Amino acid sequence: MKTSAAAPAAPAASSAPSSAASPDAAQAPAVVPEAAPVSATGGAGESFTHFDEAGRAHMVDVGAKAETHRVAVARGTIRMRPETLALVRDGTAKKGDVIAVARIAAIQGAKRTADLIPLCHPIALTRVAVDFALDEAAGAVHCTATAECEGRTGVEMEALTAVQVGLLTIYDMCKAVDRGMVIESVRLLRKRGGKSGEWVAPE
């Protein structure tokens, strides 16, 4: 006697959602968070003086400060190939005396700092001195700038700008033979005057 085979069981319905997206399904728009307001207060009671209480940029009011003798010294370096340094040393670069032009440019940069850095005060500088030192062992030129004034705000930015502009001028005058020059280590060395008194960079 023949026996009939049992009918195969129906497959169980899958509970997993279909991978095909419904054409009517609307995608939720991406939420872009609003930028948080800039805090004017930092750690340990310090604050960014160029922001007001609402976090908006402003020019610091220095009207109530006493006028004092203010000095700032900054320094920076441009590194280059030995052959490029030799051209600078011998004054035989195609554009002429590199160091002489860079010194004038640095002084001019210090005088124009308020035009370049938007929240700096225009300052009546009483002195700007710029020195260059050729370092053949390191293949570099070091620039040191000193800015001074009798005023209500410091001259750190003027000294730093002088260094940057002086080094950029060297780059401009030598780039035809060495585009790989590197400007580095631009920093404030010391400052004097004002309520905070004297500050010297750590070694």
Side-chain angles (χ1 to χ4, degrees), residues 18-119:
S18 171
S19 60
S22 169
D24 298 328
Q27 294 184 349
V31 177
V32 179
E34 293 184 2
V38 176
S39 173
T41 304
E46 297 176 345
S47 62
F48 293 123
T49 57
H50 287 98
F51 293 103
D52 63 18
E53 293 179 355
R56 296 170 300 197
H58 74 135
M59 190 180 223
V60 177
D61 183 359
V62 297
K65 290 186 175 182
E67 289 193 359
T68 63
H69 181 62
R70 297 172 182 266
V71 182
V73 181
R75 189 173 188 260
T77 297
I78 183 167
R79 299 192 181 277
M80 60 190 68
R81 297 183 311 182
E83 299 86 351
T84 310
L85 186 61
L87 293 174
V88 174
R89 180 197 62 213
D90 300 337
T92 55
K94 186 175 181 180
K95 293 187 177 181
D97 189 339
V98 173
I99 297 301
V101 175
R103 179 175 287 108
I104 297 299
I107 294 170
Q108 184 70 12
K111 293 163 60 179
R112 298 295 296 273
T113 299
D115 294 330
L116 301 171
I117 311 298
L119 300 181

Side-chain angles (χ1 to χ4, degrees), residues 58-185:
H58 74 135
M59 190 180 223
V60 177
D61 183 359
V62 297
K65 290 186 175 182
E67 289 193 359
T68 63
H69 181 62
R70 297 172 182 266
V71 182
V73 181
R75 189 173 188 260
T77 297
I78 183 167
R79 299 192 181 277
M80 60 190 68
R81 297 183 311 182
E83 299 86 351
T84 310
L85 186 61
L87 293 174
V88 174
R89 180 197 62 213
D90 300 337
T92 55
K94 186 175 181 180
K95 293 187 177 181
D97 189 339
V98 173
I99 297 301
V101 175
R103 179 175 287 108
I104 297 299
I107 294 170
Q108 184 70 12
K111 293 163 60 179
R112 298 295 296 273
T113 299
D115 294 330
L116 301 171
I117 311 298
L119 300 181
C120 278
H121 294 80
I123 292 178
L125 294 167
T126 56
R127 177 175 179 258
V128 178
V130 180
D131 294 312
F132 292 93
L134 275 61
D135 185 345
E136 297 197 28
V141 178
H142 307 294
C143 175
T144 303
T146 302
E148 298 186 36
C149 81
E150 300 288 335
R152 293 184 170 93
T153 189
V155 287
E156 295 95 322
M157 294 306 301
E158 284 69 20
L160 287 164
T161 301
V163 169
Q164 293 276 29
V165 173
L167 296 177
L168 282 170
T169 300
I170 292 176
Y171 187 97
D172 176 57
M173 297 189 70
C174 299
K175 68 181 184 295
V177 297
D178 188 359
R179 286 184 169 82
M181 292 176 287
V182 176
I183 294 173
E184 62 183 19
S185 304

